[in-house]
């Protein structure tokens, strides 16, 4: 292996598109030069949550100025289905029925976006309304079918464990959903080519799936469709499947008109039509001891999934995978209920169901702590996974490297938790209006796709004769720094500087059959694929140099000052030039598949994760008892990124993940009216965290000297989703502040999101209970 070079893996190198970002020259879909004659597509959305379509009069739409054509289900040349899990439940364009308010019924294609937007409003549609099921309670009351099979994970005898426990309690927690609110909305540009070819630029996390579905709706083989994405302006899971519809519609319109067609959704239409994070209603029953030892846990995790399956099955599965968080339950049963509703089809979101399961786990810890009068951190430490015993998960995977106790203990010391807690208690005894709270929570997050076949990646690397390198891989860049890390891997192996390596747009024409950039696996999978390709080329160059200069392979090193071949030193460019003239291939593909993993969804057992990422967060908040508002005063995070590929980027991901997680649990609230219309469909009604919502004091550290025990890319660990869970500490801290009202005798049972209204309701309930 070569020596580390400036900007190489395991050091901090600036984002490969940083200059383009800050100067406004980074090109997104809507920035691309439009081919001559480009048309614009706008969807027509339903205005009923559940209804039969009696008639759809689009004559006035077609006659509107600038309209070129109008697409309905009858105009789809291939399959009118875009289900990512191969169910026949997600038509691209509605046929006889609509199943949620905002479902795409038709699409207008016009010479300008404004013309298309105005024409959409001219549609005359008659509906026969049907009863709509809008939430989990209604779904249960009306026996709504599930969008996926229910899964049960169990170990031991939970009924026996609950009955035998010295103490027992039960409860319910409601956890709201979340809008992705990516900066760049859903967008696609389709351009027809010769002999049935279709090229699609899409803001998608899953170019291969977009390619496959475009081919399906066009009725063509995959090789005639190419999908490309250089970067996205955010995604967070919202463009794993939800980007497909707009790419498919643009492609159908381009095929029909013979002209390029672009679709870019307004924010209102985007929020109205696309899926969100699943909201959950979780019932729990827990048995425990006076010392805070959890003996048995029984949970039912019900989710509002929406009108179609989408990824709700895997999402609710992962909620079960993480309903233990970092804790060992001796007897346990976890069951999912993925319920069908007449709302947007909920989808992937950072954490993919895991955060919802972890919130439930932390509620259980909180309940036990209040019931026993123990510090919640003490309860956490008593129940964390062990390394030799108490190390089998509910899905029967052995936890081989539990470091939760180590991280919790370190953070307790570093953030001075005990002294601050005592000071907060003293403050609350005399403060009438402001109450403060503190909480320290861990995270154990499994890394890998639970759909085993997704745990693979490809790459394509070219070395040119001038010594410059071009890299392409199957992952997508959405601001998280994936491309930067891939560049660093090449720099490290070849001993080059950053200006000698270039990442190109992700395209299905270079690397086929790729997995979504999701499940925190982007760097793990694609990094190993890039490394495989680079080492193949490097091996050929070493073999050539060894023969030409009569040196052994062990005497050849790629370093910042050049390639060392015995006593000879030459530039990388010189070696590449020589190798080319010797007819040595300087291009290679790379491939990687994650080892050790297996999962049987029928039995609820296996090893679905290659490894776990760990961390802990301590949050301190102030709550105004008059308004219910809160501020985050201080946050300390200690996070396990293994041997970080890029500490600065990883810390940025941790900071952003925390803020997004805290927003989900406090300010971001989705509201549907009784008719099924989403009312929080714009920035004016949906509150994401602003700069003023960030912690006043924000300390983030990476766990030092903690390389991944598994053979990942340079022993690093994923940092995409695990940090999101650190936001749970804020919810727990708000609960701690509320609990001060009755001297910490009662668990407030604060649901999420902890909006001012919900905080006030919780305060009122606690006061009434105390009286």
């Amino acid at each position: 292996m070569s020596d580390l070079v400036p900007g190489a893996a395991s050091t901090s190198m600036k984002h490969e598109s940083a200059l383009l970002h800050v100067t406004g020259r980074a090109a997104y879909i809507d920035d691309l030069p439009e081919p001559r004659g480009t048309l614009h597509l706008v969807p027509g959305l339903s205005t009923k949550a559940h209804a039969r379509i009696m008639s759809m009069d689009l004559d006035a739409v077609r006659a509107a100025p600038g309209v070129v054509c109008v697409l309905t289900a009858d105009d789809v040349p291939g399959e009118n289905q875009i289900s990512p899990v191969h169910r026949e439940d997600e038509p691209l364009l509605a046929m006889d029925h609509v199943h949620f308010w905002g479902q795409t019924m038709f699409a207008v294609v016009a010479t300008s976006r404004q013309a298309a937007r105005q024409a959409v409003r001219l549609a005359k549609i008659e509906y026969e309304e049907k009863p709509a099921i809008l939430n989990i309670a209604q779904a249960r009351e009306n026996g709504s079918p599930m969008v996926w099979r229910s899964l049960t994970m169990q170990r031991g005898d939970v009924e026996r464990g609950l009955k035998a426990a010295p103490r027992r309690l039960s409860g319910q927690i409601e956890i709201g959903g979340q809008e992705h609110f990516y900066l760049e909305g859903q967008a696609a540009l389709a351009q027809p080519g010769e002999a049935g070819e279709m090229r699609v630029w899409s803001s998608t996390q899953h170019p291969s799936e977009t390619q496959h579905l475009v081919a399906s709706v066009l009725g063509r083989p995959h090789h005639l469709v190419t999908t490309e994405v250089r970067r996205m302006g955010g995604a967070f899971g919202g463009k794993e499947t939800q980007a497909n519809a707009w790419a498919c519609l643009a492609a159908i319109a381009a095929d029909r008109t013979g002209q390029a067609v672009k679709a870019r959704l307004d924010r209102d239409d985007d929020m109205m039509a696309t899926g969100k994070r699943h909201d959950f209603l979780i019932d729990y029953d827990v048995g425990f001891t006076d010392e805070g030892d959890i003996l048995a846990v029984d949970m039912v995790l019900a989710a509002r999934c929406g009108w179609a399956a989408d990824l709700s099955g895997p999402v609710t599965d992962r909620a079960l995978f993480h309903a233990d968080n970092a804790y060992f339950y001796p007897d346990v049963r976890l069951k999912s209920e993925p319920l069908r509703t007449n709302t947007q089809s909920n989808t992937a979101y950072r954490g993919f169901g895991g955060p919802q399961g972890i919130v439930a786990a932390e509620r259980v810890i909180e309940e036990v702590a209040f019931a026993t009068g123990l510090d919640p951190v003490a309860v956490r430490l008593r129940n964390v996974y062990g390394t030799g015993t108490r190390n089998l998960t509910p899905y029967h995977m052995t936890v081989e490297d539990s470091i939760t106790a180590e991280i919790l203990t370190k953070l307790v010391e570093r953030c001075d938790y005990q002294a601050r807690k005592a000071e907060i208690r003293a403050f609350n005894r005399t403060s009438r209006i402001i109450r403060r709270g503190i909480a320290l929570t861990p995270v154990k997050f499994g890394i890998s796709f639970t759909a085993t076949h997704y745990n693979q990646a490809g790459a394509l690397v070219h070395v040119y004769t001038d010594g410059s390198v071009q890299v392409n891989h199957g992952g997508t860049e959405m601001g998280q720094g994936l491309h930067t890390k891939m560049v660093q891997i090449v720099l490290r192996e070849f001993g080059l500087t950053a200006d000698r390596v270039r990442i190109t747009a992700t395209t299905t024409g270079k690397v086929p059959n790729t997995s979504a950039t999701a499940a925190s696996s982007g760097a793990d999978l694609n990094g190993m694929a890039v490394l495989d390709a680079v080492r193949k080329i490097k091996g050929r160059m070493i073999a050539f140099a060894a023969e030409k200069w009569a040196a052994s392979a062990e005497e050849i090193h790629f370093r910042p000052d050049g390639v060392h071949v015995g006593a000879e030193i030459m530039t990388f460019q010189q070696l590449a030039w020589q190798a080319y003239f010797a007819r040595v291939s300087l291009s290679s593909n790379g491939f990687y598949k994650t080892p050790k993993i297996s999962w049987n969804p029928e039995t609820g057992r296996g090893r679905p994760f290659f490894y776990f990422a760990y961390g802990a967060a301590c949050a301190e908040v102030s709550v105004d008892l008059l308004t219910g508002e809160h501020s985050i005063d201080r946050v300390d995070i200690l996070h396990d990124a293994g041997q970080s590929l890029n500490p600065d980027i990883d810390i940025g991901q941790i900071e952003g993940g925390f803020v997004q997680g805290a927003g989900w649990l406090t300010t971001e609230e989705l509201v549907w009216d009784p008719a099924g219309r989403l009312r929080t469909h714009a920035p004016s009604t949906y509150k994401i965290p602003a700069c003023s919502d960030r912690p006043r004091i924000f300390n983030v550290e990476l766990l030092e000297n903690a390389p991944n025990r598994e053979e990942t890319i340079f022993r690093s660990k994923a940092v995409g989703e695990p940090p999101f869970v650190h936001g749970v500490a804020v919810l727990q801290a708000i609960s701690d502040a509320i609990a001060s009202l009755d001297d910490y005798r009662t668990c407030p049972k604060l649901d999420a999101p902890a909006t001012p209204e919900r905080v006030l309701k919780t305060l009122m309930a606690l006061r009434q209970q105390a009286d």
Side-chain angles (χ1 to χ4, degrees):
M1 183 175 292
S2 66
D3 297 337
L4 290 181
V5 300
S10 299
T11 63
S12 291
M13 171 181 137
K14 69 180 180 182
H15 194 288
E16 53 89 28
S17 293
L19 182 62
L20 298 177
H21 286 155
V22 299
T23 58
R25 291 183 288 130
Y28 298 89
I29 301 300
D30 200 36
D31 299 315
L32 298 177
E34 296 178 1
R36 180 178 296 178
T38 294
L39 303 174
H40 299 265
L41 181 144
V42 171
L45 307 180
S46 69
T47 56
K48 301 295 178 183
H50 190 203
R52 180 174 172 232
I53 303 171
M54 302 300 292
S55 66
M56 191 159 58
D57 182 355
L58 303 177
D59 288 346
V61 180
R62 294 187 176 95
V67 171
V68 175
C69 67
V70 178
L71 303 178
T72 66
D74 293 336
D75 297 305
V76 180
E79 295 292 324
N80 184 36
Q81 279 288 332
I82 55 170
S83 169
V85 289
H86 311 294
R87 300 286 180 99
E88 295 297 312
D89 69 343
E90 193 170 348
L92 173 63
L93 292 167
M95 295 180 285
D96 300 325
H97 293 79
V98 292
H99 299 280
F100 76 99
W101 191 308
Q103 184 172 350
T104 304
M105 304 179 70
F106 62 95
V108 177
V109 182
T111 54
S112 72
R113 188 163 170 271
Q114 185 61 26
R117 291 181 65 195
Q118 292 176 342
V120 159
R121 302 189 185 102
L122 302 177
K124 297 176 182 178
I125 300 171
E126 293 185 4
Y127 302 92
E128 179 189 347
E129 284 198 70
K130 295 188 173 185
I133 294 173
L134 303 176
N135 54 48
I136 292 170
Q138 291 176 357
R140 282 176 163 174
E141 290 168 7
N142 292 278
S144 178
M146 297 186 186
V147 299
W148 201 261
R149 51 100 181 98
S150 174
L151 177 65
T152 299
M153 297 179 186
Q154 56 188 348
R155 191 195 60 250
D157 188 334
V158 73
E159 282 91 358
R160 182 191 62 194
L162 288 170
K163 288 178 182 178
R167 304 187 66 174
R168 182 174 176 179
L169 58 82
S170 61
Q172 186 180 78
I173 182 169
E174 181 181 344
I175 306 167
Q178 187 177 24
E179 165 63 33
H180 298 87
F181 220 100
Y182 22 66
L183 188 60
E184 177 200 24
Q186 298 285 355
L189 171 66
Q191 184 175 27
E194 62 183 28
E197 291 179 343
M198 185 64 64
R199 189 174 183 186
V200 179
W201 291 264
S202 174
S203 187
T204 175
Q205 293 174 244
H206 201 344
S208 285
E209 183 175 88
T210 300
Q211 173 202 23
H212 300 165
L213 288 173
V214 167
S216 176
V217 299
L218 291 177
R220 292 177 192 162
H222 296 170
H223 73 267
L224 286 176
V225 178
T226 301
T227 305
E228 181 175 311
V229 52
R230 177 58 180 87
R231 61 176 61 83
M232 286 167 278
F236 312 114
K239 296 175 181 177
E240 183 172 348
T241 63
Q242 301 290 293
N244 294 328
W246 325 112
C248 288
L249 287 171
I252 293 171
D255 183 59
R256 177 168 175 173
T257 63
Q259 296 172 258
V261 175
K262 183 162 73 174
R264 177 175 65 80
L265 297 193
D266 290 338
R267 181 66 66 179
D268 292 83
D269 285 351
D270 194 321
M271 293 182 71
M272 194 68 77
T274 61
K276 325 295 178 192
R277 179 185 294 279
H278 294 69
D279 48 321
F280 274 69
L281 189 64
I282 301 176
D283 296 283
Y284 54 88
D285 196 349
V286 55
F288 57 101
T289 69
D290 287 334
E291 293 73 32
D293 296 308
I294 294 174
L295 302 178
V297 172
D298 192 10
M299 279 190 197
V300 178
L301 296 89
R304 169 166 40 187
C305 296
W307 72 288
D310 195 79
L311 298 175
S312 290
V315 166
T316 51
D317 287 356
R318 191 173 276 264
L320 301 189
F321 284 124
H322 291 83
D324 59 344
N325 192 14
Y327 312 115
F328 175 75
Y329 305 148
D331 292 305
V332 58
R333 179 172 59 204
L334 309 171
K335 181 182 178 182
S336 67
E337 288 184 9
L339 298 168
R340 190 182 299 276
T341 56
N342 296 115
T343 52
Q344 289 82 353
S345 184
N346 284 333
T347 189
Y349 201 125
R350 195 174 192 172
F352 206 77
Q356 292 95 313
I358 290 172
V359 169
E362 294 305 323
R363 164 60 68 80
V364 166
I365 292 292
E366 183 184 42
E367 287 264 39
V368 171
F370 275 100
T372 58
L374 297 169
D375 187 313
V377 173
V379 176
R380 291 183 173 98
L381 285 168
R382 289 191 72 90
N383 290 283
V384 295
Y385 276 102
T387 52
T389 59
R390 295 171 50 85
N391 61 349
L392 193 66
T393 67
Y395 42 95
H396 294 257
M397 175 179 170
T398 300
V399 179
E400 299 171 343
D401 65 341
S402 179
I403 58 174
T404 301
E406 173 192 345
I407 291 178
L408 280 173
T409 302
K410 283 185 177 180
L411 188 57
V412 164
E413 295 172 354
R414 292 184 186 185
C415 74
D416 204 14
Y417 169 79
Q418 294 297 349
R420 289 167 58 201
K421 177 184 172 183
E423 188 273 327
I424 287 170
R425 295 293 191 267
F427 173 89
N428 287 340
R429 282 193 289 270
T430 59
S431 178
R432 293 181 57 251
I433 306 301
I434 303 297
R435 293 295 173 95
R436 292 161 59 195
I438 190 169
L440 197 154
T441 60
V443 58
K444 173 183 71 65
F445 202 93
I447 305 298
S448 290
F449 285 99
T450 51
T452 305
H453 65 280
Y454 271 172
N455 294 289
Q456 59 176 301
L460 180 64
V461 175
H462 303 314
V463 173
Y464 294 99
T465 56
D466 67 348
S468 63
V469 182
Q470 186 184 94
V471 183
N472 191 274
H473 60 93
T476 56
E477 174 63 48
M478 58 196 93
Q480 82 279 36
L482 176 61
H483 283 349
T484 305
K485 291 181 176 181
M486 299 304 101
V487 168
Q488 290 180 265
I489 291 166
V490 179
L491 300 184
R492 174 171 176 155
E493 287 299 303
F494 283 143
L496 299 173
T497 55
D499 63 333
R500 304 302 293 166
V501 180
R502 175 68 177 164
I503 286 274
T504 61
T506 304
T507 170
T508 57
K510 287 188 176 181
V511 179
N513 308 320
T514 58
S515 299
T517 303
S520 302
S521 62
D524 282 4
L525 295 176
N526 295 289
M528 292 296 273
V530 168
L531 184 64
D532 181 49
V534 168
R535 287 187 169 171
K536 286 177 182 176
I537 299 170
K538 190 175 176 180
R540 296 177 200 143
M541 296 177 82
I542 288 173
F544 161 71
E547 180 181 358
K548 182 173 179 63
W549 285 283
S552 66
E554 291 72 23
E555 295 178 286
I556 301 173
H557 304 281
F558 291 71
R559 292 177 177 158
D561 63 342
V563 182
H564 293 238
V565 182
E568 186 87 15
I569 300 179
M570 67 191 74
T571 66
F572 183 77
Q573 177 181 352
Q574 288 170 331
L575 180 57
W577 183 260
Q578 294 266 13
Y580 163 73
F581 274 94
R583 294 182 294 178
V584 175
S585 173
L586 297 175
S587 175
S588 182
N589 70 317
F591 182 77
Y592 174 75
K593 63 178 182 179
T594 309
K596 297 187 178 182
I597 55 175
S598 64
W599 170 243
N600 186 337
E602 302 304 319
T603 62
R605 297 188 177 195
R607 177 176 176 164
F609 306 121
F610 189 26
Y611 64 88
F612 294 101
Y614 297 89
C618 180
E620 182 179 332
V621 304
S622 294
V623 176
D624 188 319
L625 301 184
L626 297 181
T627 67
E629 295 174 299
H630 77 276
S631 64
I632 304 176
D633 302 324
R634 175 175 167 179
V635 168
D636 297 83
I637 294 175
L638 180 60
H639 194 82
D640 167 33
Q643 183 64 47
S644 172
L645 291 175
N646 188 313
D648 283 356
I649 283 179
D650 287 350
I651 287 174
Q653 284 291 292
I654 294 165
E655 292 170 341
F658 165 81
V659 171
Q660 191 175 42
W664 163 52
L665 294 170
T666 59
T667 68
E668 299 185 47
E669 184 176 30
L670 294 166
V671 177
W672 285 264
D673 66 19
R677 181 179 180 181
L678 180 68
R679 287 298 185 175
T680 49
H681 55 83
S684 59
T685 51
Y686 186 82
K687 174 68 173 69
I688 65 170
C691 291
S692 59
D693 297 310
R694 72 189 188 280
R696 306 296 191 268
I697 301 171
F698 201 179
N699 303 315
V700 178
E701 292 183 72
L702 299 181
L703 185 66
E704 58 281 317
N705 303 316
N708 196 335
R709 61 178 289 154
E710 298 293 349
E711 193 175 346
T712 54
I713 183 69
F714 303 143
R715 302 289 178 173
S716 62
K717 284 191 176 183
V719 290
E721 293 171 308
F724 181 93
V725 181
H726 292 316
V728 176
V730 175
L731 182 68
Q732 294 281 300
I734 295 173
S735 180
D736 181 63
I738 295 172
S740 68
L741 285 181
D742 80 337
D743 200 24
Y744 306 97
R745 292 189 298 265
T746 307
C747 179
K749 296 190 177 182
L750 176 65
D751 291 335
T755 60
E757 295 86 351
R758 182 159 275 165
V759 167
L760 290 175
K761 287 180 180 179
T762 306
L763 287 168
M764 186 179 299
L766 192 64
R767 283 173 172 144
Q768 291 173 348
Q769 187 173 343
D771 294 341

